[in-house]
Amino acid sequence: MSVIRSLRLGALGVGVVGAVALTGVVSAGVGSVQEEPFPHEEHAGLFPVCTGCHTTPAAGDAPGYPEAELCARCHDDVDLPAVSWSGPSDTSSNVLFDHATHAADLETAGEPPRSCESCHAEPDAARMDVEARVVESACFACHAGEPDGHFESVPEGTAECAMCHVPLSDSRFSVERITGLPVPRDHLTGGFVASDHGASASEGTARCATCHTEERCVSCHVDAGQPAVAAMPSAPPDLELPPVTAAYPVPESHSRARWSERHAPVSDAGSCNTCHTTEDCRACHVSAAPAVVDALPRRADVHAPGVGLTASAPGTHESPFFMEAHSTLAAADESTCGTCHTDGYCTDCHDAPAGDSYHPADFVGTHAAAAFGRADECATCHETAAFCRACHLESGFESSGRLGSGYHDAEPVWLLRHGQAARQNLESCASCHQQRDCVQCHGVLGSFRVSPHGPSFDAERAWATSPRTCLACHVGNPVGGS
């Protein structure tokens, strides 16, 4: 062995044993895979100072790492097995730090220069027991804060992350490192997602951008045009982001009783478009939807899925007897039903074949009593003047002349008794008769001029109570002599 090679091995000392740990496989002509991180301690006898391998970076430059040729001077595959060294595999960082600028700041402040170990080793660490990245406690030896979980020590909502960190979009972090980023304490409160994070972002997005990009915001926010969302930096194409599942906490207002029925009217889509797309509203509003529904973004045009609502019955429908009583609600305001239901929804039951329809199978034969007794409101589904009359005519219940036989032929002297029935339920008369049939006898110009009013009828009181009723037959105020 030559003198030079003997001196080389002697300088290594215990480092010869360390070479086995470094290479993993000691075999002539076989190179080993680079070890991460580099075993600094095992090379302590070879490199008395850090600048033997690392160069002091100039302003704006990245830290200098040794060239592969430097390693090959010892690991020549003769005295020591060859190794494959290409430098650190991950040099990404989100720390806003520049060696040269930092040193200049220390000099300006009158501080003594720092050695490499000042930031890259624990205070009581052995020589060359260094970390590739900065030791967190070294920063807080000078900067105010706690060394353990420094982001936790900052008062909630006041973290000045941007003072020391660049945005995530500039970090070149791997997806594993992004996933492993710590979660600040104020993010763990129950109301953070529902309301607090929006208020915090409205004050400034620098803190948010330390761990998030715009893509994280638009994964939940349907309206990506909100100022805070638009202010977030976007991820570059080569930055892989972890998958995100949209979360939509229910606001307090939505938990109030009968919210689904009372949420309208809403005049501004801006109060809804954070979580909802127009498809959410269309799940219930099948027709005559308010204009604000069309003002919401369509799901196909945004990144966020939106809440994804499905239609649900309002509280009024939860009664076990709702199907029997729903006609009352429908008759009171048909447009209310039209919010969720189409005509086809009603006719599926009301016009279904025999056996499946709304009425029992023998209803045609007995419907007269139900119609006269108002057990059902026929006019809810049927246009009585046409529907009822057409069936009666087809069934042979057709009169011939004013006094001829017809539907009432089973009742003797019906014409003389029909007044009571008409006063009790004039609607049943209107199923077949029109006003002109009545005025042939009852009108002032009719053949008999028979008054339709009973002997105790008070015309003045009737006019004062409901003039509209009087004007159904009279062309003017009958009390005034018209």
Side-chain angles (χ1 to χ4, degrees):
M1 181 180 294
S2 67
V3 175
I4 295 178
R5 290 177 181 171
S6 299
L7 290 174
R8 183 186 298 168
L9 292 177
L12 287 174
V14 294
V16 176
V17 179
V20 177
L22 169 66
T23 59
V25 178
V26 182
S27 175
V30 179
S32 64
V33 179
Q34 171 183 330
E35 183 174 330
E36 292 280 2
F38 181 78
H40 286 81
E41 289 182 280
E42 297 170 4
H43 292 71
L46 185 61
F47 303 110
V49 292
C50 300
T51 53
C53 289
H54 301 283
T55 60
T56 302
D61 292 340
Y65 292 97
E67 299 292 338
E69 291 77 7
L70 181 62
C71 303
R73 293 176 186 176
C74 294
H75 294 275
D76 57 2
D77 208 17
V78 177
D79 296 320
L80 291 175
V83 293
S84 175
W85 167 255
S86 58
S89 58
D90 181 12
T91 59
S92 60
S93 173
N94 70 340
V95 177
L96 184 61
F97 183 83
D98 185 280
H99 283 81
T101 303
H102 191 260
D105 291 341
L106 290 175
E107 183 179 356
T108 302
E111 295 287 338
R114 301 290 195 268
S115 64
C116 299
E117 290 88 346
S118 299
C119 295
H120 292 277
E122 297 289 350
D124 298 328
R127 181 179 176 278
M128 292 285 279
D129 184 8
V130 297
E131 300 290 341
R133 302 184 186 279
V134 67
V135 175
E136 188 176 286
S137 60
C139 300
F140 294 99
C142 299
H143 298 280
E146 297 291 337
D148 295 329
H150 70 275
F151 68 96
E152 297 285 2
S153 66
V154 181
E156 294 182 7
T158 62
E160 296 292 344
C161 304
M163 182 176 68
C164 300
H165 297 283
V166 299
L168 177 64
S169 57
D170 297 334
S171 67
R172 305 189 310 277
F173 274 177
S174 66
V175 66
E176 290 78 17
R177 290 195 65 184
I178 296 175
T179 305
L181 288 173
V183 181
R185 179 179 53 198
D186 62 336
H187 287 36
L188 302 177
T189 60
F192 179 75
V193 176
S195 59
D196 295 347
H197 87 281
S200 177
S202 298
E203 296 176 359
T205 58
R207 182 193 185 202
C208 309
T210 304
C211 299
H212 303 292
T213 63
E214 184 184 24
E215 287 75 9
R216 178 64 182 87
C217 302
V218 299
S219 65
C220 291
H221 284 264
V222 171
D223 180 14
Q226 297 182 26
V229 176
M232 288 288 290
S234 300
D238 58 344
L239 182 64
E240 182 182 1
L241 299 173
V244 176
T245 301
Y248 296 99
V250 179
E252 180 183 356
S253 61
H254 292 36
S255 301
R256 297 170 187 167
R258 299 183 64 183
W259 167 256
S260 60
E261 296 128 87
R262 297 172 178 173
H263 68 281
V266 177
S267 58
D268 182 11
S271 60
C272 306
N273 62 10
T274 297
C275 304
H276 297 289
T277 63
T278 186
E279 286 81 2
D280 287 336
C281 301
R282 292 290 181 186
C284 291
H285 290 275
V286 297
S287 61
V292 69
V293 172
D294 292 328
L296 291 172
R298 296 189 311 122
R299 187 168 297 144
D301 298 334
V302 295
H303 295 283
V307 174
L309 294 179
T310 56
S312 60
T316 56
H317 292 40
E318 296 177 359
S319 168
F321 305 104
F322 177 75
M323 291 303 295
E324 288 75 13
H326 75 282
S327 59
T328 303
L329 291 174
D333 187 0
E334 185 178 343
S335 62
T336 301
C337 307
T339 299
C340 303
H341 302 294
T342 62
D343 292 340
Y345 183 87
C346 302
T347 57
D348 286 345
C349 288
H350 289 276
D351 287 349
D356 296 326
S357 67
Y358 175 78
H359 300 299
D362 59 344
F363 182 73
V364 174
T366 61
H367 76 284
F372 188 81
R374 305 292 294 276
D376 292 312
E377 181 58 61
C378 306
T380 300
C381 301
H382 304 293
E383 205 288 303
T384 55
F387 181 85
C388 301
R389 184 179 181 85
C391 185
H392 287 187
L393 294 177
E394 292 176 2
S395 302
F397 298 121
E398 181 181 5
S399 62
S400 56
R402 187 169 66 242
L403 302 178
S405 61
Y407 177 73
H408 309 293
D409 58 350
E411 178 67 30
V413 292
W414 167 254
L415 186 62
L416 301 179
R417 300 180 56 188
H418 77 282
Q420 179 181 357
R423 284 189 290 271
Q424 291 176 340
N425 189 359
L426 186 62
E427 289 185 6
S428 65
C429 304
S431 299
C432 297
H433 298 286
Q434 298 178 0
Q435 190 180 40
R436 65 173 179 267
D437 295 329
C438 303
V439 298
Q440 291 183 44
C441 294
H442 295 286
V444 294
L445 301 178
S447 300
F448 300 100
R449 299 186 181 183
V450 178
S451 173
H453 308 299
S456 60
F457 178 72
D458 188 339
E460 293 184 356
R461 180 180 178 183
W463 175 260
T465 302
S466 178
R468 184 183 297 273
T469 303
C470 301
L471 294 175
C473 297
H474 296 278
V475 295
N477 184 355
V479 180
S482 299

